Amino acid sequence: MARSGQPRSLGANLRDVVRVGKDLTTSSPSRFAIVVFSSLILLFTGLLSLPIASADRTVTPLADALFTAVSTICVTGLSTVDMATHWSPFGHAVVFVGVNIGGLGVLTLASVMGLVISKRLGLRAKLIAAGDTNPMRAHGGPVNESQTVRLGEVGQLLRTVAISALVIEAGLMVLLYPSLLMAGVDPISALWEAPFYAAMAFTNTGFTPNPGGLAPFADDYLVLSLLMVGVFLGSIGFPVIYTLTRHLWHVKKWSLHTKLTLITTVLLFIIGAGVFLLLEYDNPRTFGSMDAADTTFQAFFQSAMTRSGGFSVIDQADLNGSSLLAASMLMFVGGGSASTAGGIKVTTLAVLALAVWSEAKGRPSVEAFGRRIPSDVQRVALSVVAWGATIVAVSTIAIAQITKEPVVEVLFDVISAFGTVGLSTGVTASLPDGASYIMAATIFMGRVGTVTLAAAVAATSRSQLYSLPVERPIVG
């Protein structure tokens, strides 16, 4: 022990830091996850603020650097600057690394950091990783073991996360490289654009490395199809990928989560394409000037990208107001749990839809595929929707008041931020600093997750050993 008045050794200070890290890990997994993401955002804000990160070697304004860092770590794809021309090769490399880190997921990433701190994957670290597959694990107290991924399987899940991300992005890169060459991209540029597009597709970010975005590939069905495949694989979630790697041809062994995710994802993909086809087929600014085959393909591409992909061939501001509203609804839902996509998640929508159907049929419980969905899962689903709608409403009102832009366009961009989609009507690029901070906060809350934020605020969960008298208020 150091004597009074003498400076402490570096080793003692490091041990204190490690002790604080351990305490943070074991006290609240959700808070630790938020701290990890916040720290990463601050780190990448600093990196993007460096003169070497900008193309003209000047310091990027704090508001733009912070917004880009948030959009990168939260794999959103919105930007207040031109991503293709503003950043230098170093800046693009920072963005590339950031989206791959953020794509791992806030709780999965936090569990890895917790493993580094604690030197082993203990119970709390497993709870953090499992919480990414089941939001109720973010809370304290007992949890029903019939979950997407059991605690004993968390180690395998983490390996699946790392391996699937590496394999899928590498596969996309290999397929995209010759596709970009056939599209007219020179071989040297394609060496960089292929892995960049692969990462942006799998992480559902939507940044493009070349000026003009996807405009040069607007008629290239091969490139666009590969991007859609990458977006789909990233949006279904790591637990689903984990299940498919183990039981691809044994549907009966699929978990309820896997079945609900895949069915709801495919249904929304098809329904979304049909809606865009119906609403935009006569719009000369979007699909009206295309033939039937192009219109159909672009409708499916638009549907896939509004699920969190963020890539865009057409200008979103040219969509009809009805299409903007439909796209906003799809973006609000987002992709699968524990995926690179955002939104309230497709399983949340599926659980609520099943609850409504069961109530309409007068059934005492909510059931699907021979399984009963407990009431606590239904309450979590309802809470996610309520908090998500509240965040979107408050952000829309605040930004609309600051910018005086049309509410429909502001709402579209805000939901795109909350759902970490990346599509924009052009509002985001012209945001003043105050509004950009609000939009960045919306992105952060949408990515970290409303349930995780709620669990982080709650200090501990208390058990109640008594029940109050029942009284039914009038509803409806």
Side-chain angles (χ1 to χ4, degrees):
M1 179 180 295
R3 296 179 180 178
S4 177
Q6 292 183 350
R8 301 187 66 192
S9 65
L10 178 61
N13 291 329
L14 290 176
R15 284 193 295 271
D16 288 343
V17 172
V18 173
R19 189 180 303 111
V20 171
K22 287 184 177 181
D23 292 340
L24 181 60
T25 306
T26 57
S27 63
S28 175
S30 300
R31 290 176 188 166
F32 179 66
I34 292 176
V35 169
V36 168
F37 251 44
S38 300
S39 301
L40 285 171
I41 288 172
L42 292 177
L43 171 62
F44 277 78
T45 299
L47 292 174
L48 293 173
S49 297
L50 297 174
I52 193 178
S54 64
D56 58 3
R57 296 299 189 268
T58 60
V59 176
T60 300
L62 176 61
D64 294 329
L66 175 62
F67 191 94
T68 304
V70 172
S71 187
T72 297
I73 297 299
C74 297
V75 293
T76 301
L78 288 174
S79 179
T80 55
V81 298
D82 189 328
M83 294 296 295
T85 59
H86 178 83
W87 303 109
S88 66
F90 174 81
H92 282 115
V94 169
V95 171
F96 177 82
V97 173
V99 298
N100 280 286
I101 293 175
L104 294 177
V106 56
L107 293 176
T108 302
L109 178 63
S111 69
V112 174
M113 297 296 290
L115 174 61
V116 172
I117 292 176
S118 63
K119 305 297 183 183
R120 62 187 177 86
L121 194 62
L123 177 61
R124 284 293 182 176
K126 289 183 178 181
L127 284 171
I128 295 173
D132 204 13
T133 69
N134 173 25
M136 288 184 296
R137 287 196 183 278
H139 301 268
V143 178
N144 192 316
E145 279 304 313
S146 58
Q147 303 297 347
T148 304
V149 177
R150 299 176 187 273
L151 289 181
E153 299 174 335
V154 169
Q156 296 177 359
L157 174 66
L158 293 178
R159 286 193 293 272
T160 301
V161 169
I163 294 174
S164 62
L166 178 63
V167 171
I168 293 173
E169 285 194 23
L172 286 173
M173 178 186 66
V174 171
L175 294 174
L176 278 170
Y177 183 76
S179 304
L180 293 175
L181 294 181
M182 289 186 291
V185 180
D186 67 87
I188 302 300
S189 299
L191 284 175
W192 161 243
E193 292 185 11
F196 195 92
Y197 272 117
M200 297 304 149
F202 179 69
T203 60
N204 281 218
T205 306
F207 285 141
T208 56
N210 55 289
L214 291 184
F217 314 111
D219 300 323
D220 194 322
Y221 286 0
L222 180 57
V223 172
L224 298 183
S225 296
L226 289 173
L227 293 179
M228 280 198 290
V229 171
V231 168
F232 174 79
L233 293 175
S235 67
I236 60 176
F238 294 114
V240 175
I241 296 176
Y242 174 70
T243 299
L244 294 179
T245 56
R246 300 181 66 194
H247 311 295
L248 177 60
W249 305 112
H250 300 85
V251 179
K252 291 183 178 180
K253 294 185 179 181
W254 290 3
S255 64
L256 178 60
H257 170 80
T258 299
K259 294 176 181 177
L260 291 179
T261 298
L262 292 177
I263 291 174
T264 309
T265 297
V266 173
L267 281 177
L268 289 178
F269 175 58
I270 295 174
I271 293 173
V275 169
F276 289 124
L277 190 62
L278 178 65
L279 299 178
E280 293 293 324
Y281 78 95
D282 60 347
N283 185 350
R285 296 173 299 174
T286 55
F287 301 160
S289 59
M290 303 177 185
D291 58 30
D294 288 335
T295 299
T296 303
F297 181 87
Q298 294 298 343
F300 275 100
F301 186 82
Q302 177 74 9
S303 178
M305 294 307 114
T306 52
R307 301 298 316 293
S308 195
F311 292 110
S312 177
V313 174
I314 62 174
D315 189 343
Q316 301 299 299
D318 290 336
L319 292 171
N320 293 321
S322 55
S323 298
L324 287 176
L325 182 58
S328 297
M329 296 169 67
L330 290 172
M331 292 190 298
F332 186 73
V333 174
S337 298
S339 72
T340 58
I344 62 171
K345 311 302 184 185
V346 292
T347 43
T348 302
L349 176 65
V351 168
L352 292 179
L354 290 170
V356 171
W357 177 254
S358 298
E359 186 67 25
K361 300 291 288 185
R363 295 174 180 171
S365 61
V366 179
E367 302 172 355
F369 298 103
R371 295 291 186 269
R372 181 177 59 86
I373 301 176
S375 59
D376 53 355
V377 174
Q378 300 171 48
R379 290 197 300 270
V380 170
L382 184 60
S383 299
V384 168
V385 174
W387 279 108
T390 301
I391 292 170
V392 168
V394 172
S395 298
T396 301
I397 293 172
I399 294 176
Q401 179 64 24
I402 294 173
T403 63
K404 307 301 181 183
E405 296 284 349
V407 174
V408 173
E409 296 183 3
V410 174
L411 176 64
F412 182 92
D413 278 39
V414 167
I415 294 181
S416 178
F418 172 79
T420 65
V421 178
L423 296 176
S424 175
T425 59
V427 171
T428 300
S430 59
L431 288 176
D433 289 353
S436 69
Y437 292 138
I438 296 175
M439 191 74 84
T442 304
I443 293 173
F444 182 82
M445 288 185 286
R447 179 55 181 161
V448 171
T450 53
V451 173
T452 304
L453 286 173
V457 172
T460 56
S461 63
R462 296 176 296 177
S463 59
Q464 187 169 311
L465 303 179
Y466 61 90
S467 59
L468 298 174
V470 174
E471 182 173 350
R472 297 180 180 274
I474 300 174
V475 177

